[in-house]
Amino acid sequence: MSSDVRFTDFKSDKQPTWCPGCGDFGTMNGMMKALAETGNDPDNTFVVAGIGCSGKIGTYMHSYALHGVHGRALPVGQGVKMARPDIEVMVAGGDGDGYSIGAGHFVHAVRRNVDMTYVVMDNRIYGLTKGQASPTSRSDFETSTTPEGPKQPPVNPLALALASGASFVAQSFASDALRHQEIVQKAIEHDGFGFVNVFSPCVTFNDVDTYDYFRDSLVDLQEDEDHDPNDYEAAKEVILDSEKEYQGVMYQNENSVPYNEQHGVTEDMSEIPDGAPEDAMDLVREFY
Amino acid sequence: MAADLNWAIGGEAGDGIDSTGKIFAQALSRAGRHVFTSKDFASRIRGGYTAYKIRTSVDEVQSVVDRLDILVALTQRTIDENLDELHDGSAIIYDGERSWDAEIPEEMKGIDVPLKSLAEDAGGAIMRNIVALGAACEITGFDVEYLDESLEKRFGGKGTQIVENNKEAARLGQEYVQEHYDVGDLGYDMETTDNDYVLLNGNEAIGMGAIAAGCRFYAGYPITPATSIMEYLTGRIEEYGGHVVQAEDELSAINMTLGAARSGARSMTATSGAGIDLMTETFGLVATSETPMVICDVMRSGPSTGMPTKQEQGDLNMALYGGHGEIPRFVVAPTSITECFWKTIEAFNLAEKYNTPVFLVSDLAMSVTEQTFPPEAFDMDAVEIDRGKLVDDEEVQEWLDSQGRFRAHAATEDGVSPRSIPGTTDGAHMSTGLEHDELGRRTEEQEIRVQQVDKRNRKVETAKNEEEWEYREFGNPDAENLVISWGSNEGALVEALEYLEDEGVDVRVISVPYIFPRPDLTDEIEAAEETIVVECNATGQFADVIEHDVLTRVKRINKYTGVRFKADELAEEITTKLTEEVPAQ
């Protein structure tokens, strides 16, 4: 495909079945725009989607894509990038997919620092199963399975990422389209694992973490001239601040060396010879 | 068959038993002798009984037997554990200077060698096992120079001094026996030949087969007895542009493999039963997204943690039926170490020809056993690669619908859809574990659901007709007694035939490497008077499958002690089983 890719090229002809007003519309639009803006096209892009409302994104976008098993989107994305360093990889999932069933993979994906982008559509609720507590739900958030609230603190995904050795930690808000796109774009451009937690409100089942709530409470780090994303200590302070909700790039390690580079994994693994490799008999001779 | 010699070294884990055994096996192989090794080991890093056993002959050997001729015993337990296999005239090498008082059975010959002191004379107590190898050379009349070659291979990287010290240690052991014992009356005389052999185990053969087949990506999580496939590939696959990644768990390993496979790399993961349990979650996705990949299960004793270092063929049902829903798949079970190599290559071709997961099922016995082969047994020039319907930029055009969308799950006549990989222009498409239409988009429409299920099953039917699902055959093809086996029992069965022949029992052996699809054995079973199915599990999972195929009862020989079949033991079992009543219909 030529370089004049428009973001609509990343759109499939399937109409989303998300509830009208769902944050996922804005999240997806920003992702598509960021992909187009960074010079990618659908034929060199691989999108991996998890399970849940967010998981439907693979169907609504047009690219090479896999809609996989619940919680395992990150391993799939890493496999793609390791085998095909030439391909742009974007993984999208929800808070349940990433911080509950897939939490183990999240920690290790962050550690590996594969050059890919991970967008979590965080609505602090299980929407597709019709409203149960998620790992990011507030401790007093009443749901059908937690009538008195989960009574446990929500996971702080940004802190989890930072503690796992993240090289890029950011947060955005689906409704702030321009900022969301900019932040995802920075994650794509980052040399390593670009992690963006996106506040993507569920208008049907979450009446606490609403558009209004985020509009009123969100502090944009861009407006704080003192915040330097390369400053680990400053990032820590913002991320662990339980009083406020932030958007922006909290942390970016300038010296990040992505996995493929670290391990010398640079070749397109899809290309192989018609028979055994030329010097393969050497492998046999090793056993003399 | 020429006379065979059975040798073993045993002690505690951490005593260097494994590497000593390997050094001796390598020396025998260098001398043009065939070798078949086996290991007794426990799941611990130090302590406990462990042994490395070698059966060697100038003829091919492919099984262990219940006989031990020479034993290097570093502990009393080594002697006690092997009393059944030791016989009149067996020689036991031990170190009388060590704290334990070796109790050598009267009818056996105790060879007391001050292993530790002599090793210290050569440069360090650490070489005491090498002193024992020197002693073993003397007892068996085996030229110590072959041992030198093996020591060079093993220690060459550590500098000449280390190599020379080890050679000296071996000589001190040899000379000590020469001076203090008359071993001539034991009657061992190790013949050598000019043949060049390679010595490798089943997991190494699988790893080598994977590289030969163009596998470039491997993700795995360490688990006995599959880890050595990963260890083999690490450091080698990179030479061919590939990569090995240690995942955080098996869930991740299979999904990384899936990602790499979907991006066009020939990809594999390997694990054992407990890991297969976790991977089962993803089987259905691999199959419905029609992703070609190889999933290797090196079986060990289950269920649960079971006996992690013991043999069992207990995962057959899991490989055939594991996972919810109906999952098309192929199940291939190599029957020997060379077959581990060839079947791995075939598994990759099957996966890509039919865009289907292929289960490569091996087992612990085969994974730790080293065996000698002429190098031509792994003729790389004979390796063929078939990438199936992988489409390029031009071919992709044939598979676009009227709106230019790639039909990744096109319902073709043979059931096989085209496969486009990232980077292929106009090939972009979605795949999913949800039921989907030809474009990979979710659907619950009845007609399309049926179309896609039928299409996936049709691939398997096509494969059944197009591929050769042959069995391997040994013994007398016209014999009235038929013995059927799958997986690694083949070697022991083939050798059992010699014992059976001596007894006058006529047997036809059918060794089946394909579990699904599998050869139809109806005619063979109907032609036989008696049919016995041999396998290392308690319930007879393969026998069940055969009975179902042929609608007749078979007799069963099952072993689930955690130890593989031995040739002489099998011969005896078969003879007994033949006299039993046929089980009720």
Side-chain angles (χ1 to χ4, degrees), chain A residues 13 43 46 58-59 63-69 72 75-76 79-80 83-84 87 105 108 112 259 265 269-270 272 274-277 279-281 283-284 286-288, chain B residues 153 197-199 212 214 216 236 240 243 248-249 255-256 259 262-264 281 375 385 387 405 420-434 441:
Chain A
D13 48 12
D43 288 329
F46 202 111
T59 307
S63 71
Y64 282 90
L66 184 80
H67 174 234
V69 174
R72 320 292 174 224
V76 174
V80 173
R84 294 292 301 275
I87 298 300
H105 305 308
H108 296 280
R112 273 188 206 100
Y259 182 94
V265 184
M269 294 185 195
S270 68
I272 55 167
D274 291 337
D279 50 353
M281 243 5 239
L283 293 171
V284 182
E286 257 188 67
F287 292 110
Y288 269 133
Chain B
K153 179 169 175 154
Y197 294 128
V198 290
L199 178 73
R216 294 293 177 267
R236 289 186 179 83
Y240 302 90
H243 185 58
E248 57 273 23
D249 52 37
N255 279 283
M256 284 184 176
R262 288 214 66 77
S263 60
E281 178 191 69
I385 305 290
R387 304 214 65 184
R405 300 172 299 190
S420 75
I421 57 172
T424 309
T425 306
D426 295 339
H429 64 276
M430 149 98 175
S431 265
T432 169
L434 289 165
R441 301 179 313 175

Coordinates of all heavy atoms in Angstrom, one line a residue, chain A residues 13 43 46 58-59 63-69 72 75-76 79-80 83-84 87 105 108 112 259 265 269-270 272 274-277 279-281 283-284 286-288, chain B residues 153 197-199 212 214 216 236 240 243 248-249 255-256 259 262-264 281 375 385 387 405 420-434 441:
Chain A
D13 N -15.6 -2.9 7.3 CA -17.0 -2.5 7.0 C -18.0 -3.1 7.9 O -19.2 -3.0 7.7 CB -17.3 -3.0 5.5 CG -16.9 -4.4 5.3 OD1 -16.7 -5.1 6.3 OD2 -16.9 -4.8 4.1
D43 N -1.8 -3.6 5.8 CA -1.1 -4.9 5.4 C 0.2 -5.1 6.1 O 0.8 -6.2 6.0 CB -0.8 -4.9 3.9 CG -2.1 -5.1 3.1 OD1 -3.0 -5.8 3.6 OD2 -2.2 -4.6 1.9
F46 N -0.4 -5.6 12.6 CA -1.1 -6.8 13.2 C -1.7 -6.3 14.5 O -1.1 -5.8 15.4 CB -0.1 -7.9 13.5 CG -0.7 -9.3 13.6 CD1 -0.5 -10.3 12.6 CD2 -1.6 -9.6 14.7 CE1 -1.1 -11.5 12.7 CE2 -2.2 -10.8 14.8 CZ -1.9 -11.8 13.8
G58 N -10.9 -6.0 16.9 CA -10.2 -6.7 15.8 C -11.2 -6.8 14.6 O -10.8 -6.8 13.4
T59 N -12.5 -6.9 14.9 CA -13.5 -7.0 13.9 C -13.8 -5.7 13.2 O -14.1 -5.6 12.0 CB -14.8 -7.6 14.5 OG1 -14.5 -8.8 15.2 CG2 -15.8 -7.9 13.4
S63 N -7.0 -4.9 9.3 CA -5.6 -5.1 9.3 C -5.4 -6.6 9.5 O -6.4 -7.3 9.5 CB -4.9 -4.4 10.5 OG -5.3 -5.1 11.7
Y64 N -4.2 -7.1 9.5 CA -4.0 -8.5 9.9 C -4.4 -8.5 11.4 O -4.0 -7.6 12.2 CB -2.6 -8.9 9.7 CG -2.3 -9.3 8.3 CD1 -1.8 -8.3 7.4 CD2 -2.5 -10.6 7.8 CE1 -1.5 -8.6 6.1 CE2 -2.2 -10.9 6.5 CZ -1.8 -9.9 5.6 OH -1.5 -10.3 4.3
A65 N -5.2 -9.4 11.8 CA -5.7 -9.4 13.2 C -6.0 -10.8 13.7 O -6.3 -11.7 13.0 CB -6.9 -8.5 13.3
L66 N -5.9 -10.9 15.0 CA -6.3 -12.1 15.7 C -7.1 -11.7 17.0 O -6.6 -10.9 17.8 CB -5.1 -13.0 16.1 CG -5.6 -14.3 16.7 CD1 -6.0 -15.3 15.6 CD2 -4.5 -15.0 17.6
H67 N -8.2 -12.3 17.1 CA -9.1 -12.2 18.2 C -8.9 -13.5 19.0 O -9.4 -14.5 18.5 CB -10.5 -11.9 17.8 CG -11.5 -11.9 18.9 ND1 -12.6 -12.7 18.9 CD2 -11.6 -11.2 20.0 CE1 -13.3 -12.4 20.0 NE2 -12.7 -11.5 20.7
G68 N -8.2 -13.4 20.1 CA -7.8 -14.7 20.7 C -8.5 -15.2 21.9 O -9.7 -15.0 22.0
V69 N -7.7 -15.8 22.8 CA -8.3 -16.4 24.0 C -8.2 -15.3 25.1 O -7.4 -14.4 25.1 CB -7.4 -17.6 24.4 CG1 -7.8 -18.1 25.8 CG2 -7.5 -18.7 23.4
R72 N -4.9 -13.6 26.8 CA -3.6 -14.0 26.2 C -3.2 -13.2 25.0 O -2.4 -13.6 24.2 CB -3.7 -15.5 25.8 CG -4.4 -16.4 26.7 CD -3.7 -16.6 28.0 NE -4.5 -17.4 28.9 CZ -4.7 -17.1 30.2 NH1 -4.1 -16.1 30.8 NH2 -5.4 -17.9 31.0
P75 N 0.8 -12.3 24.8 CA 1.7 -13.3 24.3 C 1.6 -13.4 22.8 O 2.6 -13.5 22.1 CB 1.3 -14.6 25.0 CG 0.7 -14.2 26.3 CD 0.0 -12.8 26.0
V76 N 0.4 -13.4 22.2 CA 0.2 -13.5 20.8 C 1.0 -12.3 20.1 O 1.8 -12.5 19.2 CB -1.2 -13.5 20.3 CG1 -1.4 -13.4 18.8 CG2 -2.0 -14.7 20.9
G79 N 4.7 -12.8 20.1 CA 5.1 -13.8 19.1 C 5.2 -13.2 17.7 O 6.1 -13.5 17.0
V80 N 4.2 -12.4 17.4 CA 4.2 -11.8 16.1 C 5.4 -10.9 15.9 O 6.2 -11.0 14.9 CB 2.9 -10.9 15.9 CG1 3.0 -10.1 14.5 CG2 1.6 -11.8 15.9
A83 N 8.8 -12.8 15.6 CA 8.9 -13.5 14.3 C 9.0 -12.5 13.2 O 9.6 -12.8 12.1 CB 7.8 -14.5 14.1
R84 N 8.4 -11.3 13.3 CA 8.3 -10.4 12.2 C 8.6 -9.0 12.7 O 7.7 -8.2 12.9 CB 6.9 -10.4 11.6 CG 6.6 -11.7 10.9 CD 7.5 -12.0 9.6 NE 7.3 -10.9 8.7 CZ 6.3 -10.8 7.8 NH1 5.4 -11.8 7.7 NH2 6.2 -9.8 7.0
I87 N 6.9 -5.9 11.2 CA 5.4 -5.6 11.3 C 5.1 -4.8 12.5 O 5.7 -4.9 13.6 CB 4.7 -7.0 11.4 CG1 4.9 -7.8 10.1 CG2 3.2 -6.8 11.7 CD1 4.4 -7.2 8.9
H105 N 0.7 -12.2 32.3 CA 1.3 -11.9 31.0 C 1.7 -10.4 30.9 O 2.7 -10.1 30.3 CB 0.4 -12.3 29.9 CG -0.1 -13.7 29.9 ND1 0.8 -14.7 30.0 CD2 -1.4 -14.2 29.9 CE1 0.1 -15.9 30.1 NE2 -1.2 -15.6 30.0
H108 N 5.1 -9.7 32.5 CA 6.2 -10.2 31.7 C 6.3 -9.6 30.4 O 7.5 -9.4 29.9 CB 6.1 -11.7 31.7 CG 6.2 -12.4 33.0 ND1 7.5 -12.5 33.6 CD2 5.3 -12.8 33.9 CE1 7.2 -13.1 34.8 NE2 5.9 -13.2 35.0
R112 N 9.7 -7.7 29.2 CA 10.4 -8.1 27.9 C 10.7 -6.9 27.0 O 11.6 -6.8 26.2 CB 9.6 -9.1 27.1 CG 9.9 -10.5 27.6 CD 9.3 -11.6 26.7 NE 9.1 -12.8 27.5 CZ 8.0 -13.1 28.1 NH1 6.9 -12.4 27.9 NH2 7.9 -14.2 28.8
Y259 N 13.2 -5.5 22.9 CA 13.6 -7.0 23.0 C 14.3 -7.5 21.8 O 15.4 -8.1 21.9 CB 12.3 -7.8 23.2 CG 12.5 -9.3 23.3 CD1 12.6 -9.9 24.6 CD2 12.6 -10.1 22.2 CE1 12.8 -11.2 24.7 CE2 12.8 -11.5 22.4 CZ 12.9 -12.0 23.6 OH 13.1 -13.4 23.8
V265 N 17.2 -10.3 17.4 CA 16.2 -11.0 16.6 C 15.7 -10.0 15.6 O 14.8 -9.1 15.8 CB 15.0 -11.4 17.5 CG1 13.9 -12.1 16.7 CG2 15.4 -12.2 18.7
M269 N 11.2 -14.1 10.0 CA 11.2 -15.6 10.1 C 10.3 -16.3 9.2 O 10.3 -17.5 9.2 CB 10.9 -15.9 11.6 CG 12.0 -15.5 12.6 SD 11.6 -16.1 14.2 CE 12.7 -15.1 15.2
S270 N 9.5 -15.6 8.4 CA 8.6 -16.3 7.6 C 9.3 -16.9 6.4 O 8.7 -17.7 5.7 CB 7.4 -15.4 7.2 OG 7.9 -14.4 6.3
I272 N 11.9 -19.1 4.6 CA 12.8 -20.3 4.9 C 13.1 -21.0 3.5 O 12.4 -20.8 2.5 CB 12.1 -21.3 5.8 CG1 10.7 -21.8 5.3 CG2 12.0 -20.8 7.2 CD1 10.2 -23.0 6.0
D274 N 13.7 -24.0 0.6 CA 12.8 -25.1 0.2 C 13.1 -26.4 0.8 O 12.3 -27.3 0.7 CB 12.9 -25.2 -1.3 CG 12.3 -24.0 -2.0 OD1 11.5 -23.3 -1.4 OD2 12.7 -23.7 -3.2
G275 N 14.3 -26.6 1.3 CA 14.7 -27.8 2.0 C 15.3 -27.5 3.3 O 15.1 -26.4 3.8
A276 N 16.1 -28.4 3.8 CA 16.8 -28.2 5.0 C 17.8 -27.1 4.8 O 18.3 -26.9 3.6 CB 17.5 -29.4 5.5
P277 N 18.2 -26.3 5.8 CA 19.2 -25.2 5.5 C 20.5 -25.9 5.0 O 20.8 -27.0 5.3 CB 19.5 -24.7 7.0 CG 18.3 -25.0 7.7 CD 17.7 -26.3 7.2
D279 N 23.7 -25.9 5.4 CA 24.8 -26.5 6.2 C 24.2 -27.4 7.3 O 24.8 -27.7 8.3 CB 25.7 -25.5 6.8 CG 24.9 -24.4 7.5 OD1 23.7 -24.4 7.4 OD2 25.5 -23.5 8.1
A280 N 23.0 -27.9 7.1 CA 22.3 -28.6 8.2 C 23.0 -29.9 8.6 O 22.8 -30.3 9.7 CB 20.8 -28.8 7.8
M281 N 23.8 -30.5 7.7 CA 24.5 -31.7 8.0 C 25.4 -31.5 9.2 O 25.8 -32.4 9.9 CB 25.2 -32.3 6.8 CG 24.8 -33.6 6.3 SD 23.4 -34.5 6.9 CE 24.1 -36.1 7.5
L283 N 24.7 -30.0 11.8 CA 24.0 -30.3 13.1 C 24.1 -31.8 13.4 O 24.2 -32.2 14.6 CB 22.5 -30.0 12.9 CG 22.1 -28.5 12.8 CD1 20.7 -28.3 12.4 CD2 22.4 -27.8 14.1
V284 N 24.1 -32.7 12.4 CA 24.2 -34.1 12.6 C 25.6 -34.4 13.1 O 25.8 -35.2 14.0 CB 23.9 -34.9 11.3 CG1 24.0 -36.4 11.5 CG2 22.5 -34.5 10.7
E286 N 27.6 -32.8 14.7 CA 27.8 -32.4 16.1 C 27.7 -33.7 17.0 O 28.3 -33.7 18.1 CB 26.7 -31.5 16.6 CG 27.1 -30.0 16.7 CD 26.0 -29.3 17.3 OE1 25.7 -29.5 18.5 OE2 25.4 -28.4 16.6
F287 N 26.9 -34.6 16.6 CA 26.7 -35.8 17.5 C 27.7 -36.9 17.3 O 27.5 -38.0 17.8 CB 25.2 -36.3 17.2 CG 24.2 -35.4 17.7 CD1 23.4 -34.7 16.8 CD2 24.0 -35.1 19.0 CE1 22.4 -33.8 17.2 CE2 23.0 -34.2 19.5 CZ 22.2 -33.6 18.5
Y288 N 28.7 -36.7 16.5 CA 29.8 -37.7 16.3 C 30.4 -38.0 17.7 O 30.6 -37.1 18.5 CB 30.9 -37.3 15.4 CG 30.6 -37.7 14.0 CD1 30.8 -36.7 12.9 CD2 30.2 -39.0 13.6 CE1 30.5 -37.1 11.6 CE2 30.0 -39.3 12.3 CZ 30.2 -38.4 11.3 OH 29.9 -38.7 10.0
Chain B
K153 N 36.5 -34.3 23.5 CA 35.2 -33.7 23.1 C 34.6 -33.0 24.3 O 34.1 -31.9 24.2 CB 34.3 -34.7 22.4 CG 33.0 -34.1 22.0 CD 32.1 -35.0 21.1 CE 30.8 -34.3 20.9 NZ 30.1 -34.7 19.7
Y197 N 29.4 -43.4 13.9 CA 28.1 -43.2 14.3 C 27.9 -41.9 15.0 O 28.8 -41.3 15.5 CB 27.7 -44.3 15.3 CG 27.7 -45.7 14.7 CD1 28.4 -46.7 15.3 CD2 27.0 -46.0 13.6 CE1 28.4 -48.0 14.8 CE2 26.9 -47.3 13.0 CZ 27.6 -48.3 13.7 OH 27.6 -49.5 13.1
V198 N 26.6 -41.4 14.9 CA 26.3 -40.3 15.8 C 25.4 -40.8 16.9 O 24.8 -41.8 16.8 CB 25.5 -39.2 14.9 CG1 26.4 -38.5 13.9 CG2 24.3 -39.8 14.3
L199 N 25.5 -40.1 18.0 CA 24.8 -40.5 19.3 C 23.9 -39.4 19.7 O 24.4 -38.3 20.1 CB 25.9 -40.8 20.3 CG 25.4 -41.2 21.7 CD1 24.8 -42.7 21.7 CD2 26.5 -41.2 22.7
A212 N 15.7 -28.4 10.7 CA 15.7 -28.9 9.3 C 14.5 -28.5 8.6 O 14.5 -28.2 7.4 CB 15.9 -30.4 9.3
G214 N 12.7 -25.9 9.0 CA 12.5 -24.5 8.9 C 11.8 -23.8 10.1 O 11.4 -22.7 10.0
R216 N 11.5 -21.6 13.0 CA 12.3 -20.5 13.3 C 11.9 -19.9 14.7 O 12.6 -19.0 15.2 CB 12.2 -19.4 12.3 CG 12.8 -19.8 10.9 CD 14.3 -19.9 11.0 NE 14.9 -20.4 9.7 CZ 15.1 -21.6 9.5 NH1 14.8 -22.6 10.3 NH2 15.6 -22.0 8.3
R236 N 21.4 -22.7 18.8 CA 21.5 -23.3 17.4 C 20.5 -22.6 16.5 O 20.9 -22.2 15.4 CB 21.2 -24.8 17.5 CG 22.4 -25.6 18.1 CD 22.1 -27.1 18.0 NE 23.3 -27.8 18.6 CZ 23.3 -28.0 19.9 NH1 22.4 -27.6 20.8 NH2 24.4 -28.6 20.4
Y240 N 20.2 -19.9 12.3 CA 19.4 -19.9 11.1 C 18.4 -18.8 11.1 O 17.4 -18.9 10.4 CB 18.7 -21.3 11.0 CG 19.7 -22.4 11.0 CD1 20.2 -23.0 12.2 CD2 20.3 -22.9 9.8 CE1 21.2 -24.0 12.2 CE2 21.3 -23.8 9.8 CZ 21.7 -24.4 11.0 OH 22.7 -25.4 11.0
H243 N 14.6 -17.9 16.8 CA 14.7 -17.4 18.2 C 13.9 -18.4 19.1 O 12.9 -18.9 18.8 CB 14.1 -16.0 18.3 CG 14.2 -15.4 19.6 ND1 15.4 -15.2 20.3 CD2 13.3 -14.9 20.5 CE1 15.2 -14.7 21.5 NE2 13.9 -14.5 21.6
E248 N 6.5 -17.0 30.3 CA 6.2 -17.0 31.8 C 5.4 -18.2 32.2 O 5.4 -18.5 33.4 CB 5.5 -15.7 32.2 CG 4.2 -15.4 31.5 CD 4.4 -14.6 30.1 OE1 5.5 -14.7 29.6 OE2 3.5 -13.9 29.7
D249 N 4.8 -18.9 31.3 CA 4.0 -20.1 31.6 C 3.6 -20.7 30.2 O 3.9 -20.1 29.2 CB 2.8 -19.8 32.4 CG 1.9 -18.7 31.9 OD1 1.7 -18.6 30.6 OD2 1.3 -17.9 32.7
N255 N 0.6 -19.3 23.1 CA 0.0 -18.1 22.4 C 1.1 -17.3 21.7 O 0.9 -16.7 20.7 CB -0.7 -17.2 23.4 CG -2.2 -17.7 23.7 OD1 -3.0 -17.5 22.8 ND2 -2.4 -18.4 24.8
M256 N 2.3 -17.3 22.2 CA 3.4 -16.7 21.5 C 3.7 -17.5 20.2 O 3.9 -16.9 19.1 CB 4.7 -16.7 22.3 CG 4.8 -15.7 23.4 SD 6.4 -15.8 24.2 CE 6.2 -14.5 25.4
G259 N 1.1 -16.6 17.7 CA 1.4 -15.3 17.1 C 2.5 -15.4 16.0 O 2.3 -14.8 14.9
R262 N 1.1 -17.2 13.0 CA 0.2 -16.4 12.2 C 0.9 -15.3 11.4 O 0.4 -14.8 10.4 CB -0.9 -15.7 13.1 CG -1.9 -16.7 13.6 CD -3.3 -16.1 13.7 NE -3.9 -15.7 12.4 CZ -4.4 -16.6 11.5 NH1 -4.5 -17.8 11.8 NH2 -4.9 -16.1 10.4
S263 N 2.1 -15.0 11.9 CA 2.9 -14.0 11.1 C 3.8 -14.7 10.1 O 4.6 -14.1 9.4 CB 3.7 -13.1 12.0 OG 4.5 -13.8 12.8
G264 N 3.7 -16.1 9.9 CA 4.3 -16.8 8.8 C 5.5 -17.6 9.2 O 6.1 -18.3 8.4
E281 N -6.3 -24.8 26.7 CA -7.1 -23.6 26.5 C -7.1 -23.0 25.1 O -8.0 -22.5 24.6 CB -6.6 -22.5 27.5 CG -7.3 -21.2 27.5 CD -6.6 -20.1 28.3 OE1 -5.5 -19.7 27.9 OE2 -7.1 -19.7 29.3
P375 N 25.2 -41.5 10.3 CA 24.7 -40.1 10.1 C 23.7 -40.0 8.9 O 22.8 -39.1 8.9 CB 26.0 -39.3 9.8 CG 27.1 -40.3 9.7 CD 26.6 -41.6 10.3
I385 N 10.2 -29.6 2.1 CA 9.4 -28.6 2.7 C 8.1 -28.3 1.9 O 8.2 -28.0 0.7 CB 10.1 -27.2 2.9 CG1 11.5 -27.5 3.6 CG2 9.3 -26.2 3.6 CD1 11.4 -27.8 5.1
R387 N 4.9 -25.8 2.0 CA 4.2 -24.7 2.8 C 2.7 -24.5 2.5 O 2.1 -23.6 2.9 CB 5.0 -23.4 2.6 CG 6.5 -23.5 2.9 CD 7.0 -22.2 3.4 NE 6.5 -21.9 4.7 CZ 6.7 -20.8 5.4 NH1 7.6 -19.9 4.8 NH2 6.2 -20.5 6.5
R405 N -11.8 -8.1 -0.5 CA -11.5 -8.6 0.9 C -10.9 -10.1 0.8 O -11.5 -10.9 0.1 CB -12.7 -8.5 1.8 CG -13.2 -7.1 1.9 CD -14.5 -7.0 2.7 NE -15.5 -7.8 2.0 CZ -16.8 -7.7 2.4 NH1 -17.2 -6.9 3.5 NH2 -17.8 -8.4 1.8
S420 N -2.6 -16.1 4.0 CA -1.7 -14.9 3.8 C -1.1 -14.4 5.1 O -1.7 -14.6 6.1 CB -2.6 -13.7 3.2 OG -3.4 -13.1 4.2
I421 N 0.1 -13.9 5.0 CA 0.8 -13.5 6.2 C 1.1 -12.0 6.2 O 1.1 -11.4 5.1 CB 2.1 -14.3 6.4 CG1 3.0 -14.2 5.2 CG2 1.8 -15.8 6.7 CD1 4.4 -14.8 5.4
P422 N 1.2 -11.4 7.3 CA 1.4 -9.9 7.4 C 2.5 -9.5 6.4 O 3.5 -10.2 6.2 CB 1.9 -9.7 8.8 CG 1.3 -10.8 9.6 CD 1.2 -12.0 8.7
G423 N 2.3 -8.4 5.8 CA 3.2 -7.9 4.8 C 2.7 -8.2 3.4 O 3.2 -7.6 2.4
T424 N 1.8 -9.2 3.2 CA 1.3 -9.5 1.9 C 0.2 -8.5 1.6 O -0.8 -8.3 2.3 CB 0.7 -10.9 1.9 OG1 1.6 -11.8 2.5 CG2 0.3 -11.4 0.5
T425 N 0.4 -7.8 0.5 CA -0.5 -6.7 0.1 C -1.9 -7.3 -0.2 O -2.0 -8.3 -0.9 CB 0.0 -6.0 -1.2 OG1 1.4 -5.6 -0.9 CG2 -0.8 -4.8 -1.6
D426 N -2.9 -6.6 0.3 CA -4.3 -7.0 0.2 C -4.7 -8.3 0.9 O -5.8 -8.8 0.7 CB -4.7 -7.2 -1.3 CG -4.6 -5.9 -2.1 OD1 -4.7 -4.8 -1.4 OD2 -4.5 -5.9 -3.3
G427 N -3.7 -8.8 1.7 CA -4.0 -10.1 2.4 C -4.5 -9.9 3.8 O -4.8 -10.8 4.5
A428 N -4.6 -8.6 4.2 CA -5.0 -8.3 5.6 C -6.4 -8.9 5.9 O -7.3 -8.9 5.1 CB -5.1 -6.8 5.8
H429 N -6.5 -9.6 7.1 CA -7.7 -10.2 7.4 C -7.7 -10.5 8.9 O -6.7 -10.4 9.6 CB -7.9 -11.6 6.7 CG -6.9 -12.6 7.1 ND1 -5.6 -12.6 6.5 CD2 -6.8 -13.5 8.0 CE1 -4.9 -13.5 7.1 NE2 -5.6 -14.1 8.0
M430 N -8.9 -10.8 9.4 CA -9.0 -11.1 10.8 C -9.3 -12.6 11.0 O -9.9 -13.2 10.2 CB -10.3 -10.3 11.3 CG -11.0 -10.9 12.3 SD -10.6 -10.1 13.8 CE -11.7 -10.8 14.9
S431 N -8.7 -13.1 12.1 CA -9.0 -14.5 12.5 C -9.4 -14.5 13.9 O -9.0 -13.7 14.7 CB -7.8 -15.4 12.2 OG -8.0 -16.0 11.0
T432 N -10.2 -15.5 14.3 CA -10.8 -15.4 15.6 C -11.2 -16.8 16.1 O -11.4 -17.7 15.3 CB -12.1 -14.5 15.6 OG1 -12.7 -14.7 16.8 CG2 -13.0 -14.8 14.5
G433 N -11.3 -16.9 17.4 CA -11.8 -18.1 18.0 C -13.4 -18.2 18.0 O -13.9 -19.2 18.3
L434 N -14.0 -17.1 17.6 CA -15.4 -17.1 17.4 C -15.7 -17.8 16.1 O -14.9 -17.8 15.2 CB -15.9 -15.6 17.3 CG -15.9 -14.8 18.6 CD1 -16.1 -13.3 18.2 CD2 -17.0 -15.2 19.5
R441 N -14.9 -12.9 9.9 CA -15.7 -12.1 10.8 C -16.8 -12.9 11.5 O -17.4 -13.8 11.0 CB -16.4 -11.0 9.9 CG -15.4 -10.1 9.2 CD -16.1 -9.1 8.3 NE -17.2 -9.7 7.5 CZ -18.0 -9.0 6.8 NH1 -17.8 -7.7 6.7 NH2 -18.9 -9.6 6.1

